[in-house]
Amino acid sequence: MTTTRDLLIVAMEAGSGAPVEQGDLSLALAGAEVIDLLSARAVTLDGDRLVPGHQPEPADQLLGGAAASLVREAPYETVGDWLWRRGRGLSAAYQAALEAEGQLVRQPRRGISFRAGQLVLVDSPARSRAADRLAADEPVLVSLVEAMGVRGERTEDSPDVTDDAVAAVLAAVNAAVVELASVRQRKAVENAAFDNIWRGAAG
């Protein structure tokens, strides 16, 4: 398993309480992919730019797709640009992959329904491993989880990441999630203003 998959499992566990925003999750998953690719030496970081290395053939098909989609011409792509480009719809892609592998199953709905049931995690070694990493306060996984707001904001007690490249990726994830929250808030204000105008005109 990869950090990316462990992150999705942890997010889905948390989703049974306060649901995780899919946009936040997709950005965090894209960041986790970079961290997995750094670990596999498939990419290095030059400042804030992703410089491709050798292209591995990982067992994880989605991570292989991530490696193949790296920009391979200078000046290369910034981490921030990667998060927004690669992150689009990424949570759905990983959920589909886990469902195809039997890691996620559709919970049947009661009564007659034409809609598919909710996706739930099955008991598996992968689920246990992700839970163990989180319980052990593994720094990278905890930092990604905190970026999504699953365990609250980062505090002085949060575990530190010692690898500079990984820390830079995590900082970019945090910045992207904050930017996305600002976009949501701006749209909410605009929608509320439009509703008020509509009500006034209708009244």
Side-chain angles (χ1 to χ4, degrees), residues 12-95:
M12 294 202 69
E13 292 274 25
S16 59
V20 178
E21 289 282 357
Q22 291 300 299
D24 295 350
L25 176 56
S26 288
L27 289 170
L29 288 170
E33 283 187 331
V34 175
I35 292 168
D36 285 332
L37 292 173
L38 285 168
S39 177
R41 301 184 184 280
V43 71
T44 57
L45 213 57
D46 182 7
D48 66 344
R49 296 191 178 270
L50 297 168
V51 181
H54 73 284
Q55 190 165 335
E57 296 181 3
D60 187 304
Q61 186 176 2
L62 279 168
L63 193 58
S69 71
L70 289 165
V71 174
R72 295 188 173 271
E73 295 182 0
Y76 307 112
E77 189 172 31
T78 66
V79 178
D81 287 345
W82 163 273
L83 296 178
W84 291 106
R85 176 177 67 84
R86 177 67 181 172
R88 186 180 298 274
L90 195 59
S91 62
Y94 271 94
Q95 286 176 17

Side-chain angles (χ1 to χ4, degrees), residues 80-146:
D81 287 345
W82 163 273
L83 296 178
W84 291 106
R85 176 177 67 84
R86 177 67 181 172
R88 186 180 298 274
L90 195 59
S91 62
Y94 271 94
Q95 286 176 17
L98 263 63
E99 185 179 7
E101 296 166 5
Q103 303 279 355
L104 293 172
V105 295
R106 293 279 176 183
Q107 193 173 49
R109 292 181 177 273
R110 294 181 179 179
I112 299 174
S113 175
F114 294 101
R115 293 186 299 171
Q118 181 182 3
L119 279 172
V120 295
L121 291 160
V122 302
D123 289 329
S124 66
R127 185 179 184 181
S128 298
R129 178 182 181 274
D132 289 345
R133 285 185 69 185
L134 189 64
D137 282 341
E138 196 279 325
V140 172
L141 185 60
V142 168
S143 296
L144 288 166
V145 168
E146 288 176 342

Side-chain angles (χ1 to χ4, degrees), residues 23-24 27-28 79-80 83-84 147 169-184:
D24 295 350
L27 289 170
V79 178
L83 296 178
W84 291 106
V169 173
L170 293 171
V173 170
N174 276 291
V177 170
V178 169
E179 183 179 348
L180 183 56
S182 297
V183 171
R184 286 196 199 100

